[in-house]
Amino acid sequence: MVFTTLAHHIDLALLHEAHGRTRKDGAVGVDGQTAEMYAERLEENLGSLHERLKAGTYVAPPVRRVHIPKGDGGKTRPIGIPAFEDKILQRAVAMVLEAVYEQDFLDCSFGFRPYRSAHQALQLVRERAMARGGAVILEVDIQAFFDSLDHGHLRGFLDGRVRDGVIRRVIDKWLKAGVLEHGGVSYPETGTPQGGVISPLLANVYLHEVIDKWFVNEVKPRLRGDAHLVRYADDFVIVFQREDDARRVLDVLPKRLAKYGLTLHPTKTRLVHFRPPGPGRGDPGTFDFLGFTHLWARSRKGRWVLKQQTARGRFSRALKRITDWCKLHRHRGVREQHVHLCRALRGHYGYFGIKGNSKAIATFAYRVVLVWFKWLQRRSQRPMTVERKQALLARFPLPPPKITQRFYLLAANP
């Protein structure tokens, strides 16, 4: 069914809900307006936003672009920061479109969807790879996906489900809004700003048509063995039972992506023979997915099991962020530093604290303590003795390493 009238669902009540769901501590956009400034006249601002949306006079401001390190050879990832009001409207439109597209999205997709998470995707990869005692993994990386997304193809995909004029016009305005960088505004003909509230949903719509439906409906029925696609936004792996099936898909995948303006990363896309060590099997191989390195290791009972450990790059980047913060704020009060470090460690445990990864998160916690002591020592001539360190940790204890994701809820039974 194609929906031609959806904009009437975006009323003041929905805008209030969208405002409540919008982060208030994020970076500001090109207009410099903060969440506190917008909230001072919230009713008036939301009413004006609603009227401009209905009348078609809403103007999408350019997106402010910043670059964050990727951790692979000094490269950076461009992130778009919309204006705060833009975030509210994007959230409202995303809430309406989400209700439509959740009826279509397939079970292989986990990114930025309700009741689905990266941990569920990781659990599914683990189950599928261990089901037959190993697998052949196709590790896929789409090069600069958010910068390469073709607007024409995206509009064609949206035509299949949503043709409401108000919503489609405002989406076009966001696609054409432009990017503010280095003091000038450019207008890319492809892509959607990574970091925008609406971008993950548009990415899911695009890849649902390009990858998910194609693999499930056209590729999988033609394979000789079992195969499972697991996708989180633009990151995905395919778990194959047979190597010949994996090579056939790897041969045709670049042609499929090229049809829609996308390309595979030449070095990060590869086949991995992922089987437990044994006679005549060679190197068991490893692969990275969603910040975890997947490898075979012995369980406590001596069996070969798939373990998921914090990827080296993610470990280094997380520790570097804490190091940079401690260096910059070393002269602040110890209590304030303690609050920040507790929050950072709990966030790290919340994502990386999965079963089998206890050694990595314990090492991370230990390294954080060393970094903290190092920069506290730099602000004083008084030596940081063992007794002082113990007294400091007794007064300001840091959260101990904790497995927080021991059990996963699969999407079929949230």
Side-chain angles (χ1 to χ4, degrees):
M1 177 179 177
V2 178
F3 289 89
T4 57
T5 54
L6 285 171
H8 61 280
H9 292 291
I10 304 178
D11 53 15
L12 282 175
L14 188 72
L15 289 176
H16 271 285
E17 176 67 19
H19 174 265
R21 297 188 186 186
T22 302
R23 279 187 58 183
K24 310 300 189 297
D25 58 347
V28 298
V30 295
D31 58 357
Q33 188 175 50
T34 64
E36 292 77 12
M37 295 166 60
Y38 196 85
E40 291 175 359
R41 304 169 63 182
L42 183 61
E43 293 295 334
E44 181 180 342
N45 288 332
L46 291 183
S48 171
L49 177 61
H50 185 227
E51 290 300 323
R52 282 178 282 142
L53 174 67
K54 291 193 303 181
T57 58
Y58 177 79
V59 177
V63 173
R64 184 169 70 88
R65 173 172 286 176
V66 297
H67 293 264
I68 62 173
K70 293 180 66 174
D72 50 355
K75 296 182 179 179
T76 60
R77 174 181 287 111
I79 299 294
I81 303 175
F84 184 74
E85 186 175 67
D86 223 21
K87 294 178 184 178
I88 297 174
L89 186 55
Q90 287 189 25
R91 177 68 65 190
V93 172
M95 289 164 64
V96 172
L97 295 183
E98 184 180 85
V100 174
Y101 280 102
E102 276 301 309
Q103 316 306 316
D104 299 350
F105 290 157
L106 303 180
D107 289 340
C108 58
S109 169
F110 289 88
F112 304 101
R113 295 180 57 190
Y115 307 112
R116 288 178 169 247
S117 69
H119 294 111
Q120 293 172 347
L122 290 165
Q123 175 70 356
L124 186 58
V125 169
R126 186 176 189 274
E127 289 182 354
R128 298 309 182 194
M130 290 185 61
R132 300 179 182 272
V136 178
I137 305 294
L138 177 54
E139 185 182 359
V140 182
D141 186 276
I142 301 177
Q143 193 164 11
F145 168 73
F146 282 92
D147 294 330
S148 306
L149 187 148
D150 183 88
H151 295 172
H153 288 302
L154 176 62
R155 293 185 183 100
F157 297 150
L158 291 171
D159 283 341
R161 287 291 267 153
V162 177
R163 296 183 188 173
D164 178 278
V166 174
I167 289 180
R168 291 298 300 274
R169 278 195 300 271
V170 75
I171 290 177
D172 279 343
K173 289 178 180 180
W174 288 324
L175 294 176
K176 299 175 181 178
V179 175
L180 176 65
E181 187 176 18
H182 306 305
V185 179
S186 60
Y187 297 91
E189 297 182 358
T190 60
T192 177
Q194 188 174 0
V197 178
I198 196 70
S199 296
L201 179 61
L202 297 181
N204 272 337
V205 171
Y206 202 87
L207 291 175
H208 169 73
E209 298 287 343
V210 175
I211 298 295
D212 300 355
K213 286 175 62 176
W214 170 73
F215 180 81
V216 172
N217 298 331
E218 300 182 32
V219 174
K220 195 171 180 179
R222 293 180 169 87
L223 301 180
R224 300 175 63 186
D226 199 13
H228 298 276
L229 167 69
V230 182
R231 182 177 66 81
Y232 190 93
D234 60 325
D235 294 328
F236 65 95
V237 297
I238 308 178
V239 183
F240 292 93
Q241 178 188 359
R242 297 173 60 99
E243 182 180 353
D244 55 347
D245 287 338
R247 294 197 178 279
R248 288 171 58 196
V249 173
L250 180 57
D251 288 340
V252 74
L253 185 58
K255 302 173 187 176
R256 174 68 180 180
L257 294 179
K259 181 179 177 182
Y260 296 96
L262 305 175
T263 57
L264 292 177
H265 195 287
T267 58
K268 295 183 179 180
T269 300
R270 62 192 183 107
L271 282 181
V272 179
H273 293 270
F274 192 70
R275 302 189 186 281
R281 291 185 177 179
D283 184 3
T286 64
F287 67 95
D288 289 353
F289 183 54
L290 298 180
F292 289 86
T293 297
H294 297 63
L295 68 159
W296 290 101
R298 293 282 190 182
S299 69
R300 293 182 179 178
K301 296 182 179 180
R303 300 173 182 174
W304 286 108
V305 296
L306 189 159
K307 288 199 173 182
Q308 296 160 320
Q309 299 180 352
T310 309
R312 183 178 300 177
R314 292 292 291 270
F315 186 100
S316 300
R317 292 204 302 273
L319 190 61
K320 186 178 185 304
R321 282 197 298 269
I322 289 181
T323 302
D324 293 342
W325 190 92
C326 288
K327 178 181 178 181
L328 183 63
H329 301 94
R330 62 186 181 274
H331 295 296
R332 292 193 178 186
V334 175
R335 187 178 301 278
E336 184 179 353
Q337 295 183 35
H338 175 255
V339 170
H340 178 86
L341 292 177
C342 287
R343 187 184 303 118
L345 282 171
R346 291 192 187 100
H348 190 86
Y349 302 154
Y351 185 75
F352 290 103
I354 68 172
K355 184 179 179 180
N357 197 35
S358 56
K359 183 178 179 180
I361 61 174
T363 302
F364 185 81
Y366 173 72
R367 297 283 297 276
V368 167
V369 172
L370 294 183
V371 167
W372 192 25
F373 287 161
K374 171 185 175 180
W375 291 107
L376 285 177
Q377 173 68 65
R378 293 290 184 91
R379 70 181 192 174
S380 172
Q381 298 298 323
R382 184 182 175 189
M384 182 70 74
T385 62
V386 174
E387 292 75 14
R388 284 190 64 199
K389 293 177 182 178
Q390 292 176 345
L392 181 66
L393 286 179
R395 185 180 178 189
F396 299 101
L398 294 175
K402 182 180 180 182
I403 299 299
T404 59
Q405 302 291 338
R406 189 180 302 275
F407 304 104
Y408 305 128
L409 299 175
L410 292 181
N413 185 25

